[in-house]
Amino acid sequence: MRPTTKRTSARLTGGSAAALLTSLLMLAVAPGTVAAADRAYELDLGKRGDFVAQTNFVQCVGASMQMMLNMIEPGRDRTARTQLRLQELAREWSGPRPDGFERQGASVRGWASGLNLLGAGPYRLVGEDTLQAAMRSAARAIATTGKPVGLLVWRGRHAWVMSGFTATADPRVTDRFEVTRAVIHDPLYPYGSKTWGPSPKPGSSVSVKTVGRQFVPRRSSSRWMGANSSLGGKYVLVLPYEPDLSAFASTIR
């Protein structure tokens, strides 16, 4: 009986050791990483007072730039004078309209260029193939740069600002996440559009499905695209990014 008892004891001891080792390995994994990958993540850069309504029906870009600057820089400017100055800057860098008529509003190119000229960037234009891909790019940019994102809505006819989001995980630590809600600022609030729908309340968190009713792919007609032809048929964003300084650093060594 002793050999049997001894072998049984050895098997129990080995099983206990294996269980203990498994527990220790589980404890060794960084709990913050696991939590960040599995827990819903929310972020909003906007505050009360950042919102600015456009002063007329063509200055949506100027008003959006004004809101974005309010979120990026200390102090807030809600004046009509500043909005007009921003609109004129964006229009100056928008280039001529592809159809030859005089431009009343400003283009998405002027929007990004204006922010960069004012030192709020760097910003660039990005086109995505799907709504979720656009929301993921926006969320990742907001989380990594601490700056808001511009959305080109109504097939290229209007501008929104996205200041925050809710996602299934933190975009800074994993690529495996989906965006479920977005915080939107529509400078045309409270008027909205009979064609596209009502304006979200400034700073409200709305579902991605609701965003997608107005944030749709830009028209792809060559008549309207001009220098931005690569963005035709895409979900277009004015996106902040962190520049890659490694190439620059290598040139000064």
Side-chain angles (χ1 to χ4, degrees):
M1 293 296 293
R2 288 181 181 175
T4 302
T5 303
K6 188 173 183 178
R7 286 196 298 271
T8 302
S9 175
R11 285 196 299 270
L12 290 174
T13 303
S16 300
L20 178 60
L21 178 60
T22 300
S23 299
L24 291 173
L25 288 173
M26 291 178 66
L27 290 173
V29 177
T33 302
V34 175
D38 295 341
R39 188 174 60 234
Y41 182 85
E42 296 183 32
L43 176 63
D44 184 19
L45 307 176
K47 294 180 174 58
R48 293 188 62 182
D50 288 338
F51 175 78
V52 181
Q54 58 192 80
T55 59
N56 55 48
F57 287 106
V58 299
Q59 287 190 184
C60 59
V61 168
S64 293
M65 291 174 64
Q66 192 172 18
M67 286 189 281
M68 294 169 84
L69 291 170
N70 286 346
M71 297 171 191
I72 295 170
E73 299 175 351
R76 299 181 177 89
D77 187 332
R78 299 162 55 93
T79 65
R81 180 180 180 180
T82 293
Q83 185 180 130
L84 178 59
R85 177 175 60 85
L86 295 172
Q87 179 74 15
E88 290 175 343
L89 176 64
R91 185 186 296 135
E92 180 182 355
W93 287 86
S94 291
R97 279 176 42 142
D99 59 6
F101 288 95
E102 182 180 356
R103 186 183 295 280
Q104 297 299 314
S107 76
V108 67
R109 183 175 61 172
W111 185 356
S113 298
L115 290 172
N116 289 334
L117 288 167
L118 292 168
Y123 275 86
R124 62 186 173 189
L125 300 181
V126 172
E128 297 287 4
D129 292 326
T130 68
L131 175 61
Q132 184 57 223
M135 290 290 97
R136 283 165 51 86
S137 291
R140 188 180 294 109
I142 290 170
T144 56
T145 68
K147 298 177 181 179
V149 169
L151 305 182
L152 190 65
V153 301
W154 300 3
R155 300 193 69 196
R157 300 173 187 270
H158 189 45
W160 278 2
V161 175
M162 178 173 166
S163 67
F165 63 92
T166 300
T168 55
D170 186 343
R172 297 171 301 178
V173 299
T174 179
D175 289 328
R176 299 179 62 182
F177 71 94
E178 298 291 319
V179 179
T180 57
R181 304 186 72 82
V183 182
I184 299 298
H185 304 258
D186 178 359
L188 197 54
Y189 179 86
Y191 300 103
S193 166
K194 292 182 179 179
T195 301
W196 295 99
S199 300
K201 184 178 179 181
S204 60
S205 176
V206 298
S207 69
V208 169
K209 181 179 179 180
T210 298
V211 173
R213 292 172 184 161
Q214 303 192 49
F215 181 41
V216 297
R218 183 175 182 172
R219 55 197 163 189
S220 56
S221 170
S222 59
R223 177 190 176 203
W224 290 102
M225 294 310 301
N228 299 319
S229 58
S230 63
L231 301 176
K234 304 283 189 179
Y235 292 85
V236 179
L237 307 103
V238 181
L239 204 71
Y241 66 99
E242 295 289 350
D244 182 5
L245 300 179
S246 58
F248 174 77
S250 64
T251 63
I252 60 176
R253 288 176 183 173

